Amino acid sequence: IRTRAHTHTHAHPHAPVTPQKDAPRASERTRVVTMSPPPPSGPNNSFLKTLACSAFSASVAEICTIPIDTAKVRLQLQGAAAAGATPKYSGMVGTMVTVAKEEGLGALWKGITPGLHRQCLFGGLRIGLYEPVKNFYVGPDHKGDVPLHLKIASGLTTGALGISIASPTDLVKVRMQAEGKLPAGAVKKYPSAMAAYGIIVKEEGVLALWKGITPNIMRNAVINAAELASYDQIKSGLIKGGMEEGVPMHLVAGLGAGFVAVCVGSPVDVVKSRVMGDSVGAYKGFLDCVVKTMTKEGPFAFYKVRER
């Protein structure tokens, strides 16, 4: 602009300087400078999104399946409580019907609050950390499919880490689900989930919230490894077989992974439920529970969700 003004000054000293038509206005320049930056993206944002989605989906699954879980816990605890007597509960469906008749339909959702606490912590961590841990194990230079043993190692790691933090929620959930064994008319020991945490700490100490941590870590590490590794493996096989990625493929992989996880983890799950549900000191620990269960009820007791 200064150059053009100087040229016009020589030709016409009093002629006005005409501004360039394509020069941006000050307000336009200001708008360009003050535009908002794009939303953040990258590994951290992706991890947090995965963590949140995992916690949400695990919580929805908990709400839908806790009646089955309540029946499972009642069956697992029954052997120790009613040895030598006629079983009160028989089979999953029979147990659910019995609980609903005797205690009301809402009793099937006992423990839903600590169950949601558990899923937000454990469900979010075990799934949200799986990919980062798997990538850490294979290293930054890895290409191609991840070996199965590293998928299993990743599942074991995230399962153990997640339940180490979430174990108190699991304990409260089992205690509340097991309360149906109390005689009719007895006052509920745990009126709510939040009260249960305080009652356990007051009566048994803070460390009691982590009672059964050994079988719980073993159970959740094994099941998590079996579930996530088999899901990953089944999904890879389906893709190689020509199946398009979508809801049907995820359902098939999920059903297969769930079956593998139950078959592998049921024995440890029975021991975990019995140790955590024991508020009278019937078991001294993980090995003591294994020995007593095997001696009194035989090996099939470790698959207690299916009554003989």
Side-chain angles (χ1 to χ4, degrees):
I1 295 172
R2 285 197 299 268
T3 303
R4 292 186 64 185
H6 179 72
T7 303
H8 280 292
T9 302
H10 281 283
H12 304 284
H14 301 291
V17 178
T18 304
Q20 295 181 10
K21 293 182 180 181
D22 57 347
R25 296 177 182 176
S27 59
E28 292 176 347
R29 289 198 301 270
T30 303
R31 283 200 299 272
V32 173
V33 173
T34 58
M35 284 178 64
S36 300
S41 60
N44 291 335
N45 190 47
S46 177
F47 169 71
L48 293 176
K49 186 185 295 183
T50 303
L51 203 67
C53 291
S54 301
F56 177 76
S57 59
S59 297
V60 172
E62 180 75 7
I63 293 171
C64 296
T65 61
I66 195 168
I68 300 173
D69 193 53
T70 298
K72 179 202 73 172
V73 170
R74 296 289 179 91
L75 285 168
Q76 288 175 336
L77 297 178
Q78 178 172 254
T86 303
K88 180 178 180 180
Y89 304 117
S90 178
M92 183 187 72
V93 176
T95 301
M96 293 172 67
V97 171
T98 302
V99 171
K101 283 183 177 179
E102 294 184 353
E103 306 168 45
L105 191 62
L108 291 171
W109 276 267
K110 276 184 178 178
I112 185 61
T113 302
L116 292 176
H117 295 167
R118 178 185 185 275
Q119 293 301 342
C120 286
L121 289 172
F122 177 64
L125 290 172
R126 78 181 183 95
I127 301 174
L129 290 173
Y130 179 69
E131 287 296 330
V133 170
K134 187 171 67 173
N135 292 336
F136 172 77
Y137 282 156
V138 299
D141 299 325
H142 177 79
K143 294 181 180 179
D145 291 339
V146 177
L148 179 59
H149 70 280
L150 291 182
K151 293 178 182 178
I152 294 173
S154 302
L156 288 170
T157 302
T158 59
L161 287 174
I163 204 58
S164 296
I165 297 172
S167 193
T169 64
D170 221 0
L171 178 80
V172 171
K173 178 185 173 184
V174 170
R175 293 281 182 94
M176 293 184 73
Q177 287 177 318
E179 272 197 324
K181 297 186 302 176
L182 298 175
V187 178
K188 295 294 182 183
K189 185 174 182 180
Y190 307 116
S192 68
M194 298 310 296
Y197 292 114
I199 291 170
I200 293 171
V201 169
K202 184 178 179 180
E203 294 184 354
E204 305 173 48
V206 176
L207 293 180
L209 290 173
W210 278 268
K211 186 176 183 179
I213 185 66
T214 300
N216 208 16
I217 287 178
M218 292 178 65
R219 181 256 186 196
N220 285 282
V222 168
I223 290 179
N224 194 57
E227 184 178 316
L228 295 184
S230 59
Y231 176 86
D232 216 350
Q233 200 73 7
I234 293 170
K235 180 181 172 183
S236 298
L238 291 173
I239 292 175
K240 288 179 180 178
M243 190 174 184
E244 293 184 2
E245 185 164 356
V247 174
M249 187 193 69
H250 290 291
L251 285 175
V252 172
L255 288 170
F259 178 78
V260 172
V262 169
C263 291
V264 172
S266 185
V268 191
D269 190 36
V270 170
V271 176
K272 185 267 301 186
S273 293
R274 292 193 173 187
V275 173
M276 285 189 157
D278 174 30
S279 58
V280 296
Y283 304 113
K284 296 178 182 178
F286 174 75
L287 291 178
D288 183 55
C289 182
V290 171
V291 172
K292 287 181 177 177
T293 301
M294 176 70 78
T295 303
K296 294 180 180 179
E297 303 169 59
F300 289 104
F302 294 106
Y303 291 87
K304 199 67 180 181
V305 292
R306 186 181 300 170
E307 281 296 299
R308 288 169 290 174

